[in-house]
Amino acid sequence: MTSYRGHTLVEHGGNIDGFSTLVSFLPDDNIGLVTLTNLDSNLATQSVNYTLCDHLLGLEERPWSTRNKQFFQGLKKQAEKAKENSLDTRVPDAPLSHPLKDYTGSFEHPGLGVFTITQDDETLKGTYNDTDFTFQHLHYDIFLVTAERFEVHIKGSFVTNLDGDIESFSLPIEPDAKPIAFMRVAGKHLQEKNILEQFCGAYEVMDQTATVAFKGEHILSLTLPGQPTYELEPYKEDSFRVQGLSGYSVAFQRDEAGVVTQALLKQPFGTLIATKKAE
């Protein structure tokens, strides 16, 4: 709600892939306008609505199309300047902490979905909600993440957990909020029964028996003597988080033939080795 050249103006716009809209009302003048365009991220809606407002109110018309074009060009220059500033602040000769392939995978936020990152020659590329992103390494585990389609340039960062694994990827999607963290999730194959059943069995640890078994058809569970049964959440190849226990995980080990022989029960204060019993 605002004032347009002395007249009360109530308006709201909409913008999504493929189109932009603007609904405007001048309630004191009994005027309503709706403009629909078949292109996203454009200011034609304002140019049309405001030009019609001038005409219907009998006011001297103003060059709204020219003004909005200049405004849009100014936004593009600001975006380029922001990109240059990001490059200017980079720390020289500050390498990645991991091989490039370790940064690839699926990263998920419970409300925003999955951000998929893959390797593209000597850099990374990402896909989120059908939008493609390019990655330019700045320093350490920080990248300049760009969506050319929307002319967006923002810094993204990867976080390493206490085991030395890349655990999450964060982006400042909302300007007024902290960067949003997308947590690494395992590939869908770690929910397939024929893959999971190779981890099932009894494991000997400190003269006791730990049991890995199915909970349903696509989820594993871990049972230790004197403790409740814990659900195992796929994390990465042969590794699972213990659901509900921060810092606890299970990493299965294989012999040269690829057969699971051990499980490393990782805890905040150390790691226990559990040997799989012969069936």
Side-chain angles (χ1 to χ4, degrees), residues 10-276:
V10 182
E11 64 179 3
H12 188 72
N15 183 77
I16 200 170
D17 300 3
F19 61 87
S20 291
T21 66
L22 182 61
V23 178
S24 302
F25 292 102
L26 294 116
D28 296 336
D29 302 283
N30 295 320
I31 293 173
L33 301 165
V34 179
T35 298
L36 314 174
T37 67
N38 61 349
L39 179 68
D40 56 89
S41 302
N42 75 85
L43 296 177
T45 52
Q46 289 188 3
S47 298
V48 171
N49 276 24
Y50 295 171
T51 296
L52 287 173
C53 285
D54 291 340
H55 175 73
L56 293 171
L57 293 170
L59 302 173
E60 181 183 353
E61 294 187 7
R62 292 178 173 175
W64 287 112
S65 182
T66 300
R67 286 187 178 186
N68 285 329
K69 182 178 180 180
Q70 293 173 344
F71 176 74
F72 192 74
Q73 290 173 338
L75 289 179
K76 292 182 67 173
K77 289 181 180 179
Q78 289 181 22
E80 288 299 322
K81 186 63 176 177
K83 182 178 180 181
E84 292 174 6
N85 290 339
S86 295
L87 296 177
D88 290 341
T89 58
R90 70 196 312 179
V91 179
D93 302 321
L96 294 169
S97 63
H98 293 65
L100 195 61
K101 64 180 180 60
D102 289 358
Y103 299 85
T104 62
S106 297
F107 297 81
E108 185 174 15
H109 183 277
L112 298 177
V114 177
F115 197 113
T116 302
I117 300 175
T118 58
Q119 187 168 343
D120 185 20
D121 292 329
E122 297 302 317
T123 186
L124 301 171
K125 63 180 180 180
T127 304
Y128 175 65
N129 286 348
D130 296 327
T131 298
D132 295 327
F133 293 82
T134 60
F135 283 64
Q136 182 179 357
H137 182 238
L138 294 177
H139 42 246
Y140 306 114
D141 290 340
I142 311 298
F143 289 78
L144 183 64
V145 182
T146 300
E148 294 292 350
R149 178 180 177 186
F150 300 109
E151 298 182 344
V152 171
H153 311 280
I154 53 180
K155 291 180 180 179
S157 63
F158 291 88
V159 175
T160 302
N161 63 21
L162 295 178
D163 291 328
D165 301 319
I166 299 295
E167 185 175 60
S168 65
F169 171 62
S170 297
L171 277 177
I173 295 177
E174 296 292 341
D176 297 328
K178 294 180 180 180
I180 295 174
F182 291 77
M183 303 301 295
R184 180 187 290 280
V185 292
K188 295 298 183 182
H189 68 287
L190 283 179
Q191 296 178 356
E192 298 176 5
K193 186 173 182 179
N194 63 323
I195 298 295
L196 294 177
E197 61 187 2
Q198 62 188 311
F199 304 119
C200 293
Y203 292 79
E204 185 175 351
V205 52
M206 297 179 64
D207 297 326
Q208 294 183 325
T209 298
T211 303
V212 176
F214 275 103
K215 179 183 178 182
E217 292 190 356
H218 305 288
I219 299 174
L220 291 181
S221 65
L222 171 67
T223 303
L224 296 166
Q227 297 189 38
T229 296
Y230 298 100
E231 186 175 312
L232 297 181
E233 177 186 354
Y235 170 53
K236 62 177 185 177
E237 220 50 52
D238 294 350
S239 295
F240 296 76
R241 294 190 184 98
V242 179
Q243 196 172 80
L245 294 180
S246 178
Y248 288 78
S249 63
V250 179
F252 294 95
Q253 305 291 299
R254 301 174 183 270
D255 60 17
E256 294 181 355
V259 177
V260 175
T261 58
Q262 291 182 332
L264 302 182
L265 309 181
K266 299 183 178 182
Q267 309 171 65
F269 306 108
T271 299
L272 300 177
I273 299 177
T275 303
K276 190 175 185 182

